[in-house]
Amino acid sequence: MASFERFDDMCDLRLKPKILRNLLSEYVPNEKQPLTNFLSLSKVVSTISTHKLLSESPPASIDQKLHAKSKSAVDDWVARLSALISSDMPDKSWVGICLIGVTCQECSSDRFFKSYSVWFNSLLSHLKNPASSRIVRVASCTSISDLLTRLSRFSNTKKDAVSHASKLILPIIKLLDEDSSEALLEGIVHLLSTIVLLFPAAFHSNYDKIEAAIASKIFSAKTSSNMLKKFAHFLALLPKAKGDEGTWSLMMQKLLISINVHLNNFFQGLEEETKGTKAIQRLTPPGKDSPLPLGGQNGGLDDASWNSEQLIVSRVSALMFCTSTMLTTSYKSKINIPVGSLLSLVERVLLVNGSLPRAMSPFMTGIQQELVCAELPALHSSALELLCATLKSIRSQLLPYAASVVRLVSSYFRKCSLPELRIKLYSITTTLLKSMGIGMAMQLAQEVVINASVDLDQTSLEAFDVASSKNPSLTNGALLQACSKKRKHSGVEAENSVFELRIPHNHLRSPISLKIASLEALETLLTIGGALGSDSWRESVDNLLLTTATNACEGRWANAETYHCLPNKSTTDLVEFQLAALRAFSASLVSPSRVRPAFLAEGLELFRTGKLQAGMKVAGFCAHALMSLEVVIHPRALPLDGLPTLSNRFPESNSFGSEKHNTPNLNKLNVIAHDGDDLGNRWQAKADVPSNNAIQRTLDTTLPLQESNRLKVGNDLATVVSLSVQDHTDIVASENGQQADVPEKVPEESLGPVTDKDVTAPKDGYEEVVSGTQEGEDLAVKDSLMEEASIGKKIESLGESDDDPIPSLQEGDFLSSSSDSDSDIES
Amino acid sequence: MEITVIASSSIDEGIGSWDLKTGTEQLQFKPCASPAHGLTAVGEKFLASSQLSARNTSGSIFYWSWTKPQAEVKSYPVEPIKALAANNEGTYLVGGGISGDIYLWEVATGKLLKKWHGHYRSVTCLVFSGDDSLLVSGSQDGSIRVWSLIRLFDDFQRQQGNTLYEHNFNEHTMSVTDIVIDYGGCNAVIISSSEDRTCKVWSLSRGKLLKNIIFPSVINALALDPGGCVFYAGARDSKIYIGAINATSEYGTQVLGSVSEKGKAITCLAYCADGNLLISGSEDGVVCVWDPKSLRHVRTLIHAKGSRKGPVNNIQIVRKTIVANSNKTQVSWKSRGALIPPPLEKYERPVEDTMDGIVTVDPPPFSDVPVYSSFLSADLIDEQVKELQQQGSAATEMEMERLKLEYKRSLQMNEQWQKNYENLLQVVMEEEQIGGTN
């Protein structure tokens, strides 16, 4: 009877029990039949997952008979797995354990709820059994982890789940004490992390034991660097087991003490003796009890390991990684971050560069110094990571310490020549600028500009000779600005010598990733604080970014096909470098400054060429950059409320406006173009304040955050330009004899700079206004002033487009046909 | 998201609070008699206000939590504080004293981080820039100064003798009554009003005056349209003038007009971005909500009741995040009530203490969201199947090598035994020959 049954399609519910039974008979071994092919297990898992074979259908939706079939099929499956888990043979129990983990994930809620306790005890027995093989134990850890993950989604079983999880702690501690393989340790750490995140109360009675066990693993000489990181990560999560502020602070204190104790040994002979003592003292103030060392009474330290510099640095790096993870992982209660101690620790590490203080040279041999210097870059890298984590955790609350952090970063920038460390420094700089805004930009601008100038030198090997001739002037320019900024003469001389020594090194060793990092820092600097206090460095930065962007794109674009032969990573690096250079250059053009952007013409040409290239990332960004620059070129002053309509008086302005607001036809930019058209229309029509806000909100939601910031900056540039327009209009208005109440001309001129050309050029347009005014004698004085303001804006907009406006063409704008407007736009 | 309007008075009528969307009156917080610009919300956590006092010998600043009408924390600075402002996150509090000194406190600990002499006379206005890194202060002497907070903590620069402020604006001839700053980042525009009947527009990046606008009456309060073209000026003649930043004329009344109602002087203004509403407070204790588009008032919130009406001199708009779960809301409110920080300190601590610094960081607002781990068994099966296969083939190769080696050894052993046997046979044969001869 069954053999003649037909099914609707591959999603027929009646198929599921049959497929499951087929898998069970064909691929899953039973007690007597040996396991022949390991690869079939992957097929079993993917089939179960695809068809959801273990999720029994709810009985109401289908007929009773099919439900019974489905249930019995899953019952057989579970029975088979239980038999396998109980088997004495390791390969069969391994299969059962793995498939139980998948079953925990896939089975129905009812079945899981009824069976999870039995499954848990079976898996736990394998974990506890000393005779179990390694691979069986790894599978047990993973399956228990999945069981607990599923269990955490039942809110009504919280207590029972915690009780089950508690049973795991002591066996895990026992496993940690054994000499286990790395795979088993990974499984154990992941299981512990799952427990601490989902059921933190399970650690309540064994918190100290777990801490001691993990710490001894970190301090053990046998632990690999990969496992060091995992253990450190779990140690950072461990305070969540209790969840209160005191536990977090205690762990942080222990970590800092342990790090400083290690550094006392490592830095012996390299720094002043009192420094380490002070560091320990501030962590244990007098009057308070010193906490137990990390890892229990003896701290897990044996004297033999002190002789290995590499081992000390590995431990310190792991402990610093643990500290960083604690700072950046969210914690559910308020925490007190010891910023002073953290910054002192970072400073202590970064101050040691391997050179020997004069007074202490007898204490250290050449071999010792060699060993220390070999490990110092890794130590500095960890310290910079810790500094970055500290900044990210407290963000703007760094305010009392911001100045000292700036000095620390600046002094380390001067000494640091390793590219990897410089990349981390640029990342720290970017984080500081983003979290602390304009004030930080004013503090850091000089350092970022000087260092980026050095790192962006010699942008391509092909341009070696050309760049070397450019190099002295650029360097001298930066130095001159640095001199004008700083007032200490001795500092200037030191700066000068450092500069000349540094250039040859960076000349050879600026990798692309370092250039990308410096470009990102410059972009952030221009975004945050491009206008305020930038007199001393803005011109050189704009020039540098133009040179970098041009060199990055010049040869590479034409030879795009050449790089098909290169490995993928090399090509990707070049594309990333181009994008970073173009992004920074775009920020340089869009960021507001006092004058018109110096390289606007070059920028427009560069982006226009880039938009035509084959690389879609670069082309997409160039299109976007052109859209951003359009706001700079044609400032859209948001119209005033009550502005009268101009369309009757100047019919050609419609086509003029629509042509101005043409934008590239990309999907993402269509919305922007539409908004642009709306803004253009509103420029001529009466506007509502809420509508303006709606447009602004649309822009904000459409653009990514950073581009939205740039657009806002552009809009503010439009505001500034409008203010300038206003100044010119005042001059025009003052020449109108009919306005009796206009004050004297001389005070008006003091409001802003005025050139004679600007005053005389719009004369024809002004006459037009006068005739219009005379024709409409009934217009109110207010309306007349508004018309003059609008006309002044239009004239000024034309002035912005051309450096040297021609009066005849401008006259044509108001009197002639649209063809003249086209020619004007093209010119 | 709940939007609350809070208003305070110079007479001890407490701080009134209303739900802006419904007009419902909420808790009234007492006691409070605040100076102008002396009321602020510290983040979303609590209210803070400086207090007017009959005696000028010492000042006081009070804190209220949102759930209790009584002042929970009282601080007593060394001098009366007039202007009070908090940064956006509510981590720092700035107060301006009657002597012209400016105080910066850390909210979580109450520490006085910095005190500096900002002006020659009383500080009347304090405004943070959009990114909280600059502070703009206005004074009774008409001066306006822009401070970089980071530079204030740079002791190295202080020793150099540089001036602490970034900009100094001196064009107002009388007391500064209000200051607003727009959204322009480093290119922002600052607008100030003064008792000299002018509003002045300043450029933050250039550090100079852009526009001077003359009004027929003293301007008490300012509010800024987010579009950046229009600002609203509340005047002593009970009108709200609409000023244009790009006005062609110096005279504000000729630009965009004004709105007014029968009533007394306008004392304070605030702009609410949600719904684009303008809120004004006046000397007769009335708080009006206006629609800037139609220039009509939408709602009236009466601050004072009964015969004794105190003038409104502070209005603030506060956004409060509401936690979704009602059970957690109660827990959250309880914990927030417990989180009111300690009082503000009078004096700066020694420098060495500061270096032991502890910074308190609050948990993220949605940290109660449950954590979901991912399932790993399926991936583990793939990994271990791979490992078993590799191990199998590698083990087989090693076994083969070992067997080859053992085979060679067996062969050598066999040869050795062969030689021994032959030697033994030879000895036996020789013995037989000797026996035969005898």
Side-chain angles (χ1 to χ4, degrees):
Chain A
M1 183 62 181
S3 60
F4 296 104
E5 193 174 0
R6 292 290 180 263
F7 304 99
D8 298 335
D9 52 20
M10 69 176 180
C11 297
D12 193 341
L13 288 182
R14 292 173 295 172
L15 267 175
K16 290 166 78 172
K18 289 194 173 297
I19 295 177
L20 185 58
R21 289 189 183 280
N22 190 50
L23 290 177
L24 205 54
S25 63
E26 295 277 338
Y27 298 108
V28 179
N30 54 27
E31 292 183 28
K32 300 174 182 177
Q33 184 182 345
L35 178 67
T36 55
N37 187 6
F38 289 115
L39 284 177
S40 60
L41 282 185
S42 300
K43 179 176 173 53
V44 169
V45 171
S46 72
T47 305
I48 287 175
S49 180
T50 302
H51 291 273
K52 305 219 180 300
L53 300 180
L54 298 180
S55 66
E56 305 157 53
S57 306
S61 66
I62 55 175
D63 61 274
Q64 207 64 26
K65 187 177 291 184
L66 182 54
H67 175 64
K69 279 185 180 179
S70 178
K71 185 175 186 308
S72 68
V74 179
D75 285 343
D76 290 346
W77 168 269
V78 171
R80 177 74 65 89
L81 295 189
S82 298
L84 287 175
I85 291 175
S86 307
S87 170
D88 291 333
M89 300 180 64
D91 55 341
K92 290 183 180 173
S93 60
W94 173 77
V95 170
I97 289 165
C98 288
L99 292 179
I100 273 288
V102 175
T103 304
C104 289
Q105 184 180 342
E106 295 284 340
C107 70
S108 65
S109 298
D110 285 343
R111 182 176 293 276
F112 181 82
F113 193 71
K114 289 168 186 169
S115 309
Y116 77 87
S117 192
V118 174
W119 295 345
F120 178 85
N121 287 313
S122 300
L123 295 169
L124 182 58
S125 66
H126 275 283
L127 196 64
K128 279 176 163 176
N129 187 8
S132 295
S133 70
R134 175 188 62 80
I135 195 167
V136 166
R137 283 170 153 175
V138 174
S140 297
C141 285
T142 306
S143 295
I144 290 173
S145 180
D146 284 6
L147 188 146
L148 293 175
T149 302
R150 182 72 187 273
L151 191 53
S152 68
R153 303 180 183 185
F154 295 86
S155 56
N156 53 336
T157 62
K158 199 79 177 178
K159 271 187 178 179
D160 197 32
V162 168
S163 167
H164 277 67
S166 298
K167 296 178 187 175
L168 291 163
I169 306 301
L170 288 177
I172 286 172
I173 292 174
K174 203 173 178 184
L175 283 177
L176 284 172
D177 290 337
E178 296 172 6
D179 188 10
S180 304
S181 71
E182 187 158 311
L184 181 52
L185 289 178
E186 273 196 53
I188 289 168
V189 169
H190 182 265
L191 178 53
L192 285 171
S193 300
T194 301
I195 295 171
V196 80
L197 290 176
L198 301 178
F199 307 110
F203 285 97
H204 190 72
S205 54
N206 295 301
Y207 182 92
D208 292 331
K209 289 177 184 173
I210 279 285
E211 183 190 304
I214 296 292
S216 70
K217 282 292 173 187
I218 289 176
F219 291 139
S220 166
K222 301 166 187 169
T223 310
S224 69
S225 64
N226 179 48
M227 287 310 304
L228 266 180
K229 218 160 194 177
K230 292 192 193 303
F231 283 128
H233 186 271
F234 172 73
L235 194 63
L237 296 179
L238 188 55
K240 288 173 183 252
K242 293 186 179 176
D244 60 315
E245 197 277 325
T247 304
W248 193 95
S249 290
L250 185 62
M251 175 65 77
M252 180 61 70
Q253 192 182 5
K254 288 182 178 183
L255 285 168
L256 290 175
I257 289 175
S258 191
I259 290 169
N260 278 287
V261 167
H262 279 81
L263 291 181
N264 285 352
N265 288 271
F266 188 71
F267 286 160
Q268 210 164 40
L270 287 167
E271 64 175 3
E272 300 170 20
E273 291 289 336
T274 55
K275 213 153 196 178
T277 310
K278 278 182 188 173
I280 302 293
Q281 274 175 359
R282 73 182 299 166
L283 289 164
T284 54
K288 289 186 179 177
D289 288 337
S290 170
L292 283 179
L294 186 66
Q297 194 62 50
N298 59 351
L301 305 174
D302 46 345
D303 293 84
S305 65
W306 290 117
N307 292 328
S308 170
E309 279 81 7
Q310 191 265 328
L311 197 59
I312 292 177
V313 168
S314 293
R315 289 179 183 175
V316 170
S317 294
L319 295 175
M320 282 185 173
F321 175 74
C322 181
T323 310
S324 301
T325 309
M326 283 183 74
L327 289 166
T328 52
T329 307
S330 69
Y331 199 72
K332 70 181 181 182
S333 74
K334 182 189 286 192
I335 53 176
N336 290 330
I337 297 176
V339 179
S341 299
L342 287 162
L343 295 182
S344 294
L345 171 62
V346 171
E347 184 176 5
R348 183 184 176 193
V349 170
L350 296 182
L351 280 182
V352 175
N353 60 356
S355 64
L356 301 178
R358 291 185 180 277
M360 298 186 165
S361 51
F363 292 97
M364 181 158 274
T365 64
I367 293 178
Q368 277 178 298
Q369 188 181 10
E370 177 186 322
L371 290 171
V372 165
C373 289
E375 297 298 329
L376 269 181
L379 196 58
H380 285 192
S381 181
S382 299
L384 292 175
E385 295 278 1
L386 179 57
L387 177 59
C388 205
T390 305
L391 300 179
K392 286 178 179 173
S393 65
I394 61 174
R395 299 183 307 277
S396 66
Q397 293 186 71
L398 187 74
L399 182 60
Y401 314 96
S404 56
V405 170
V406 167
R407 262 197 302 280
L408 177 64
V409 168
S410 302
S411 67
Y412 193 66
F413 247 132
R414 290 188 204 114
K415 294 186 291 187
C416 173
S417 62
L418 298 177
E420 291 80 18
L421 297 179
R422 286 180 78 82
I423 290 169
K424 285 198 161 75
L425 272 175
Y426 280 121
S427 170
I428 288 169
T429 307
T430 305
T431 301
L432 282 168
L433 288 167
K434 285 176 179 172
S435 59
M436 303 207 70
I438 304 167
M440 181 57 69
M442 292 191 288
Q443 300 279 105
L444 273 178
Q446 282 301 320
E447 288 302 320
V448 172
V449 170
I450 290 172
N451 286 282
S453 299
V454 171
D455 290 327
L456 289 172
D457 230 342
Q458 315 297 329
T459 48
S460 68
L461 292 178
E462 292 90 344
F464 177 82
D465 293 325
V466 178
S468 64
S469 64
K470 286 182 185 176
N471 177 35
S473 62
L474 183 60
T475 306
N476 289 335
L479 268 177
L480 287 174
Q481 283 150 17
C483 292
S484 66
K485 194 69 177 180
K486 297 174 181 177
R487 292 167 180 85
K488 288 176 62 178
H489 286 289
S490 58
V492 169
E493 290 172 0
E495 197 77 38
N496 207 330
S497 61
V498 169
F499 242 94
E500 297 190 347
L501 287 178
R502 192 185 305 170
I503 289 170
H505 293 283
N506 285 286
H507 166 82
L508 295 177
R509 288 195 285 175
S510 278
I512 283 185
S513 53
L514 176 54
K515 290 175 184 172
I516 291 173
S518 62
L519 286 165
E520 283 168 0
L522 279 177
E523 183 194 355
T524 306
L525 176 66
L526 290 164
T527 304
I528 299 292
L532 185 53
S534 61
D535 295 341
S536 57
W537 53 266
R538 183 58 188 267
E539 186 178 345
S540 69
V541 164
D542 289 343
N543 191 33
L544 172 69
L545 290 176
L546 168 69
T547 305
T548 304
T550 306
N551 288 340
C553 304
E554 198 163 50
R556 312 284 162 82
W557 276 345
N559 302 328
E561 292 183 358
T562 307
Y563 293 102
H564 286 322
C565 306
L566 291 177
N568 280 333
K569 192 197 174 194
S570 183
T571 309
T572 305
D573 278 352
L574 293 179
V575 172
E576 291 298 321
F577 179 55
Q578 284 178 23
L579 276 175
L582 291 171
R583 207 178 280 122
F585 186 37
S586 175
S588 154
L589 295 175
V590 173
S591 177
S593 62
R594 304 191 173 203
V595 298
R596 160 188 159 138
F599 305 111
L600 184 59
E602 291 88 339
L604 288 170
E605 184 62 24
L606 190 64
F607 292 129
R608 197 179 61 80
T609 309
K611 190 158 67 79
L612 307 175
Q613 299 310 312
M616 287 317 293
K617 270 189 176 181
V618 174
F621 179 77
C622 287
H624 182 268
L626 286 173
M627 185 268 296
S628 298
L629 286 176
E630 199 265 337
V631 178
V632 174
I633 295 169
H634 308 121
R636 300 174 186 156
L638 299 179
L640 303 176
D641 201 0
L643 188 69
T645 305
L646 300 176
S647 57
N648 290 335
R649 196 166 299 275
F650 304 106
E652 64 272 13
S653 65
N654 277 323
S655 59
F656 187 80
S658 62
E659 281 160 339
K660 286 285 183 177
H661 295 298
N662 189 18
T663 48
N665 191 17
L666 295 183
N667 280 335
K668 180 186 174 184
L669 298 178
N670 276 337
V671 178
I672 308 300
H674 180 66
D675 288 331
D677 289 340
D678 281 349
L679 287 173
N681 291 333
R682 290 184 193 285
W683 193 79
Q684 308 164 38
K686 185 173 181 178
D688 300 324
V689 170
S691 300
N692 293 338
N693 294 306
I695 292 170
Q696 194 70 48
R697 267 196 289 268
T698 304
L699 288 175
D700 289 347
T701 52
T702 304
L703 294 171
L705 181 61
Q706 201 158 20
E707 283 85 353
S708 182
N709 285 338
R710 286 191 212 132
L711 260 189
K712 284 180 178 174
V713 169
N715 284 334
D716 289 298
L717 181 63
T719 303
V720 172
V721 174
S722 300
L723 292 169
S724 302
V725 171
Q726 214 62 70
D727 293 340
H728 294 302
T729 309
D730 286 342
I731 302 299
V732 173
S734 67
E735 295 178 354
N736 190 347
Q738 297 180 10
Q739 302 298 327
D741 58 349
V742 173
E744 293 297 322
K745 184 175 181 180
V746 172
E748 292 285 341
E749 284 180 337
S750 64
L751 290 177
V754 174
T755 61
D756 290 335
K757 181 180 286 185
D758 286 331
V759 173
T760 55
K763 195 164 187 179
D764 294 327
Y766 168 68
E767 287 175 354
E768 188 73 16
V769 174
V770 170
S771 63
T773 304
Q774 287 169 356
E775 288 171 2
E777 292 179 355
D778 59 325
L779 289 175
V781 171
K782 185 176 111 178
D783 291 340
S784 175
L785 288 175
M786 293 314 302
E787 287 171 5
E788 291 171 359
S790 309
I791 295 164
K793 280 182 194 173
K794 186 179 288 187
I795 292 169
E796 188 61 25
S797 296
L798 291 176
E800 288 291 312
S801 301
D802 301 316
D803 282 329
D804 298 314
I806 302 171
S808 61
L809 282 180
Q810 281 199 336
E811 182 179 1
D813 289 338
F814 300 101
L815 301 174
S816 303
S817 63
S818 60
S819 61
D820 284 351
S821 299
D822 288 334
S823 63
D824 183 66
I825 292 168
E826 287 172 2
S827 66
Chain B
M1 176 70 60
E2 180 183 294
I3 302 176
T4 302
V5 182
I6 53 176
S8 69
S9 172
S10 58
I11 297 175
D12 185 359
E13 286 291 331
I15 303 169
S17 64
W18 298 266
D19 185 326
L20 181 58
K21 293 181 177 175
T22 62
T24 309
E25 186 170 5
Q26 295 171 346
L27 277 183
Q28 199 172 13
F29 307 95
K30 290 190 171 183
C32 180
S34 69
H37 305 293
L39 173 69
T40 187
V42 182
E44 296 181 5
K45 302 168 207 166
F46 60 95
L47 294 170
S49 177
S50 51
Q51 300 297 302
L52 291 169
S53 170
R55 300 163 284 143
N56 269 357
T57 52
S58 74
S60 53
I61 295 176
F62 291 175
Y63 291 170
W64 295 263
S65 72
W66 287 108
T67 54
K68 295 179 184 175
Q70 290 85 30
E72 290 197 36
V73 172
K74 299 186 176 182
S75 313
Y76 299 99
V78 294
E79 65 171 309
I81 300 294
K82 299 205 78 174
L84 191 70
N87 68 337
N88 289 309
E89 286 183 69
T91 49
Y92 298 109
L93 199 58
V94 183
I98 56 173
S99 67
D101 287 349
I102 303 178
Y103 302 80
L104 174 65
W105 289 281
E106 185 184 47
V107 168
T109 58
K111 270 188 224 169
L112 176 58
L113 295 177
K114 192 60 66 175
K115 169 192 159 184
W116 71 97
H117 191 57
H119 294 275
Y120 298 115
R121 298 181 71 189
S122 172
V123 178
T124 55
C125 311
L126 286 169
V127 179
F128 276 97
S129 68
D131 62 5
D132 285 337
S133 77
L134 304 177
L135 179 73
V136 188
S137 64
S139 172
Q140 201 178 3
D141 61 12
S143 63
I144 296 167
R145 288 181 176 167
V146 181
W147 314 87
S148 167
L149 295 177
I150 294 168
R151 205 146 79 81
L152 289 169
F153 284 95
D154 195 350
D155 295 331
F156 182 76
Q157 287 209 35
R158 295 185 88 163
Q159 289 160 13
Q160 301 259 283
N162 300 334
T163 55
L164 290 179
Y165 49 78
E166 302 295 328
H167 298 314
N168 182 28
F169 302 132
N170 275 323
E171 277 80 5
H172 277 303
T173 56
M174 294 175 75
S175 178
V176 177
T177 53
D178 205 353
I179 296 174
V180 289
I181 185 167
D182 77 349
Y183 299 99
C186 58
N187 205 36
V189 162
I190 300 169
I191 307 178
S192 62
S193 61
S194 169
E195 286 186 359
D196 62 8
R197 300 187 179 197
T198 64
C199 289
K200 297 183 193 292
V201 181
W202 317 86
S203 166
L204 178 64
S205 60
R206 303 179 190 187
K208 65 179 191 179
L209 177 66
L210 297 177
K211 180 61 67 178
N212 181 56
I213 303 166
I214 302 171
F215 287 92
S217 180
V218 172
I219 303 297
N220 282 332
L222 292 170
L224 194 60
D225 176 75
C229 290
V230 168
F231 65 93
Y232 304 96
R236 203 167 281 184
D237 61 1
S238 82
K239 293 184 176 178
I240 300 175
Y241 293 97
I242 305 171
I245 294 176
N246 305 323
T248 53
S249 169
E250 273 201 336
Y251 296 98
T253 49
Q254 296 182 3
V255 181
L256 291 177
S258 63
V259 298
S260 68
E261 284 236 327
K262 283 187 177 180
K264 292 198 171 182
I266 303 290
T267 50
C268 40
L269 286 174
Y271 193 92
C272 177
D274 294 76
N276 289 298
L277 296 171
L278 181 68
I279 296 134
S280 69
S282 59
E283 262 186 8
D284 54 1
V286 175
V287 177
C288 281
V289 182
W290 304 84
D291 178 6
K293 178 182 174 182
S294 61
L295 302 180
R296 291 174 189 162
H297 78 274
V298 174
R299 182 172 289 126
T300 301
L301 315 166
I302 303 294
H303 176 251
K305 292 174 180 174
S307 58
R308 192 159 174 258
K309 292 192 173 183
V312 180
N313 63 0
N314 283 302
I315 282 181
Q316 292 271 326
I317 311 282
V318 186
R319 281 186 187 76
K320 284 189 279 181
T321 308
I322 299 174
V323 186
N325 196 319
S326 61
N327 290 329
K328 291 184 179 177
T329 300
Q330 293 175 2
V331 175
S332 182
W333 281 116
K334 280 183 184 177
S335 64
R336 278 191 183 178
L339 286 180
I340 289 242
L344 305 170
E345 294 179 357
K346 281 180 183 263
Y347 305 107
E348 280 184 73
R349 294 187 185 181
V351 175
E352 288 183 3
D353 267 2
T354 308
M355 286 312 295
D356 273 2
I358 303 284
V359 167
T360 302
V361 175
D362 285 333
F366 301 108
S367 60
D368 286 340
V369 178
V371 182
Y372 286 115
S373 300
S374 55
F375 292 108
L376 290 188
S377 285
D379 295 334
L380 180 75
I381 289 175
D382 289 342
E383 280 179 24
Q384 289 196 312
V385 164
K386 260 188 213 172
E387 186 184 346
L388 284 171
Q389 278 204 317
Q390 286 175 359
Q391 198 180 45
S393 65
T396 303
E397 281 184 20
M398 290 172 66
E399 191 75 14
M400 187 67 72
E401 288 297 322
R402 191 175 64 80
L403 288 178
K404 282 184 180 179
L405 206 61
E406 294 229 333
Y407 178 69
K408 283 182 182 177
R409 284 179 187 162
S410 297
L411 287 182
Q412 288 176 1
M413 187 71 69
N414 198 27
E415 287 181 0
Q416 195 72 21
W417 281 108
Q418 191 94 354
K419 284 180 182 177
N420 285 354
Y421 176 76
E422 285 177 356
N423 287 343
L424 188 59
L425 189 60
Q426 203 166 350
V427 169
V428 168
M429 292 291 288
E430 284 177 357
E431 283 186 355
E432 281 187 356
Q433 285 178 5
I434 292 169
T437 305
N438 291 335

